[in-house]
Amino acid sequence: MTRVSVYFSGLVAFAAATVMIVVSIWIPNWVSYSVTTNAGQRVEKHIGLQKSCSNLDDPPCRPFPYKELCQDGERYFCSMWRTVGFMASFSTILCLAGLVSFAVIIGGGKYKRETGWPFVGALLTLVSIAEFATISIVAYLFENDDQFTIPGWNLDVSFYLGTTSAIISILTAAGIVLSAYLLPPEDGYDFLQEPLNA
């Protein structure tokens, strides 16, 4: 039976996972390019879900994907990248719903803690599925799109934050479900024993 300590531990872990996915959306570091020229100049380009930043551009950041990437033969990449942005935003909304669910269950008393684990476990599993879909699409595009075949491109911090967030979410869901089956019920009311002479 799940206890307050289990839900509280799950809440802390899931809050960390939520922060990770929000930060991964916010910073433009899903895929990065970094090389040093023969003249010793460092050329860097960082691609995020909504913007791309380069030390060669002025202004350094602009919306991504560019209009050129969304024309004719490149529409596939553009559509897939926008899907990644949508999935990451959807994951964030699910994370916020998960945090609210934790708060309601922890504050709702013993009955909610005993019966709320299937809902929280399912919600956290859904979050991890959405996050794994997001990082899988990015990994697929990184491996298969022509613009990333030039040496110097690599998956960057946001990708690894998203991956860590997905892993934490699924492990938290598994921990809550296992605790419901493996832990004894939390202490509640003690029943009065009937007198023997009655």
Side-chain angles (χ1 to χ4, degrees):
M1 198 53 59
T2 49
R3 301 170 184 250
V4 175
S5 59
V6 173
Y7 278 115
F8 187 74
S9 300
L11 173 62
V12 170
F14 191 63
T18 302
V19 168
M20 288 180 197
I21 195 66
V22 169
V23 169
S24 74
I25 293 170
W26 183 60
I27 59 174
N29 283 2
W30 279 84
V31 182
S32 294
Y33 177 76
S34 181
V35 293
T36 304
T37 64
N38 292 337
Q41 181 185 10
R42 190 127 179 106
V43 177
E44 292 186 356
K45 182 174 184 177
H46 303 283
I47 297 176
L49 298 182
Q50 280 89 30
K51 65 182 176 180
S52 171
C53 298
S54 173
N55 63 348
L56 299 178
D57 293 339
D58 188 31
C61 295
R62 64 180 181 154
F64 188 83
Y66 319 124
K67 288 183 181 178
E68 307 88 61
L69 290 176
C70 299
Q71 296 174 355
D72 300 327
E74 297 295 326
R75 295 187 86 133
Y76 176 76
F77 174 81
C78 185
S79 297
M80 292 295 282
W81 199 262
R82 288 183 176 157
T83 300
V84 168
F86 169 78
M87 291 295 289
S89 298
F90 181 64
S91 297
T92 303
I93 292 168
L94 290 176
C95 284
L96 296 176
L99 292 174
V100 169
S101 299
F102 270 111
V104 168
I105 289 172
I106 290 172
K110 182 180 175 187
Y111 178 75
K112 286 195 178 177
R113 288 191 298 276
E114 288 179 351
T115 60
W117 65 267
F119 178 75
V120 171
L123 187 59
L124 269 60
T125 302
L126 185 60
V127 167
S128 65
I129 289 170
E131 290 178 345
F132 279 126
T134 300
I135 59 177
S136 297
I137 294 171
V138 171
Y140 173 80
L141 291 173
F142 177 75
E143 291 292 326
N144 296 296
D145 195 75
D146 292 339
Q147 66 180 311
F148 301 124
T149 57
I150 301 167
W153 285 102
N154 59 1
L155 297 171
D156 208 352
V157 175
S158 294
F159 178 83
Y160 296 111
L161 283 173
T163 304
T164 305
S165 176
I167 292 169
I168 289 172
S169 296
I170 196 68
L171 290 177
T172 303
I176 288 173
V177 170
L178 285 174
S179 73
Y181 287 107
L182 300 179
L183 293 179
E186 67 178 294
D187 295 331
Y189 296 108
D190 291 329
F191 292 101
L192 298 175
Q193 293 192 8
E194 293 183 28
L196 296 174
N197 299 344

